[in-house]
Amino acid sequence: MYGPLTDIIPGSDKLRTKLVGVDTQGYAYAFWGNQTGFAYDPTRVDENNLPQSFDDLTTWVKEHKQQFGVNDPNKGGAGNAFIQRAIYYASGNNDVYFQNEMDKSVIPTWSKTWEWFEGNQDNIVITASNADSLTRINDGEISMAPAWEDHLAVCRKKARSRNVLNSIFQNSVCQVAVTSS
C-alpha cells in the first residue's frame, strides 16, 4: 500500500488532510467534487450584468423580484451550497470556515444569514430541487438560480436546455462564464 500521499504528491502540503475533526494522516484529502454556480437565462439576464459578489447578488435579487430561485437544501446540493456560501459572506467572510475543526463561537454570526433570507423572502423563489430550479429557468418562471455544473452539462448534452441555460461557475478562487453553443 502506498502512503501517506503527502510523501508522494508534490505540493500536497497545501491540501487538507483534516476535515470536521477527522485526521486522515495524509492518506486522503478533503475535497468537494461538484462546483456550484449560477444557472441563468441569457435572454433575460445580460452576461455583462451578472453578479460578481454577494453584494452584487443582493442588489440583483432586490431589483429582480421573484427572479432568483434557491432550491430546498434538503432536496438538492446547490441549495445547500448556496446557504453555505451565504453564511460565509453574510457573517463577514470568516476564514474560520476553512479550518480543520469547526469553531462553535462563530455560530451566532449565522443569524446574519437568516436575516438576509428573511429580508429577501419576497424577492426569492424557493424551488423544490436542483432540477426544479433548472426547469423553472427554462420555462421562464425565474431567471437565475444556484446549480451544479455537472447537471448543466448533462442538460446541454441532452439538448434539454433549448440553448437557453447559460451558467456562471463561481467559487472562492475564480469565475468562468460558460455559454451555450
Side-chain angles (χ1 to χ4, degrees):
M1 178 169 184
Y2 294 104
L5 297 173
T6 49
D7 296 339
I8 300 169
I9 299 174
S12 63
D13 59 320
K14 296 178 177 73
L15 302 175
R16 290 185 200 185
T17 59
K18 294 180 183 176
L19 182 64
V20 193
V22 175
D23 185 354
T24 69
Q25 300 177 359
Y27 285 89
Y29 296 105
F31 83 99
W32 188 255
N34 286 63
Q35 294 295 315
T36 302
F38 296 114
Y40 68 97
D41 179 344
T43 66
R44 300 173 75 195
V45 180
D46 181 352
E47 185 174 343
N48 295 322
N49 295 325
L50 286 170
Q52 298 298 308
S53 68
F54 196 74
D55 288 339
D56 289 351
L57 178 64
T58 299
T59 300
W60 193 93
V61 165
K62 289 180 181 192
E63 291 176 354
H64 302 88
K65 294 182 186 314
Q66 297 290 302
Q67 291 302 300
F68 184 74
V70 176
N71 68 277
D72 178 337
N74 297 306
K75 304 229 174 131
N80 185 304
F82 180 75
I83 289 172
Q84 289 178 31
R85 296 309 288 177
I87 288 171
Y88 174 78
Y89 288 114
S91 67
N93 301 337
N94 196 329
D95 287 333
V96 73
Y97 299 117
F98 299 104
Q99 304 305 316
N100 293 326
E101 293 185 29
M102 180 62 190
D103 179 353
K104 293 181 181 180
S105 70
V106 301
I107 293 173
T109 67
W110 295 3
S111 64
K112 295 175 186 175
T113 307
W114 314 137
E115 289 168 10
W116 185 89
F117 277 99
E118 287 173 6
N120 286 295
Q121 67 182 347
D122 293 335
N123 304 329
I124 295 173
V125 174
I126 302 300
T127 66
S129 65
N130 292 334
D132 184 42
S133 293
L134 298 179
T135 298
R136 289 178 187 222
I137 291 172
N138 241 357
D139 290 347
E141 183 181 337
I142 61 175
S143 299
M144 186 184 307
W148 290 127
E149 97 291 350
D150 59 340
H151 197 167
L152 293 170
V154 168
C155 285
R156 279 201 201 113
K157 185 174 182 180
K158 293 183 176 180
R160 289 187 298 189
S161 68
R162 298 179 307 149
N163 289 326
V164 171
L165 288 177
N166 277 10
S167 59
I168 182 168
F169 304 121
Q170 179 175 11
N171 61 29
S172 60
V173 179
C174 66
Q175 297 177 346
V176 179
V178 179
T179 58
S180 301
S181 54

